Amino acid sequence: QVQLVESGGGLVQPGGSLRLSCVLSVSIFGLYDMNWYRQAPGKQRELVATITGRGTTRYTDTVQGRFTISRDNDKKTTYLQMNNLKPEDTAVYYCNGKRFGLDYWGQGTQVTVSS
């Protein structure tokens, strides 16, 4: 049974930082592209960041320069470091692992940015 577990969400003031973690328990983690999505109330789910098995990264424009996605293949873990958080970053953040037809999703973790 494959497990994808994410953690690290919480309440933070504007300008603060959070680090999300996502563990994907598969045999060869390095074969999977890892993604972070987010969804705010009343809005569509948005792709925030992607990191391939080789380490190539991509970000949506609104988080470029503030967020950093990374991975540790030995630990089968992907991270999303979020700096200089803004109220508009408030959302449920979902970790996703994808390889061909395989598509795994985390349970979601709430990130709230508010003073």
Side-chain angles (χ1 to χ4, degrees):
Q1 190 171 48
V2 176
Q3 288 187 293
L4 196 159
V5 180
E6 57 183 290
S7 61
L11 174 64
V12 65
Q13 294 184 5
S17 298
L18 286 173
R19 188 194 195 200
L20 307 183
S21 299
C22 172
V23 180
L24 177 57
S25 300
V26 293
S27 296
I28 311 179
F29 177 78
L31 294 177
Y32 289 78
D33 291 342
M34 300 301 297
N35 310 289
W36 287 97
Y37 291 79
R38 68 185 181 188
Q39 187 168 27
K43 301 188 68 177
Q44 291 186 315
R45 186 168 295 184
E46 173 190 27
L47 177 60
V48 176
T50 295
I51 185 166
T52 69
R54 294 175 177 265
T56 301
T57 60
R58 300 202 184 281
Y59 304 90
T60 192
D61 289 344
T62 55
V63 309
Q64 185 78 42
R66 299 188 297 120
F67 291 11
T68 302
I69 188 171
S70 61
R71 67 192 297 159
D72 185 334
N73 288 348
D74 291 334
K75 294 183 176 181
K76 301 182 179 182
T77 301
T78 298
Y79 306 95
L80 185 67
Q81 178 68 45
M82 304 183 293
N83 297 326
N84 192 25
L85 283 161
K86 304 176 179 180
E88 50 263 44
D89 295 317
T90 296
V92 178
Y93 284 71
Y94 297 91
C95 181
N96 165 255
K98 182 172 293 186
R99 176 179 181 261
F100 298 126
L102 300 176
D103 200 4
Y104 300 105
W105 289 89
Q107 79 282 7
T109 185
Q110 177 71 47
V111 172
T112 302
V113 185
S114 176
S115 60

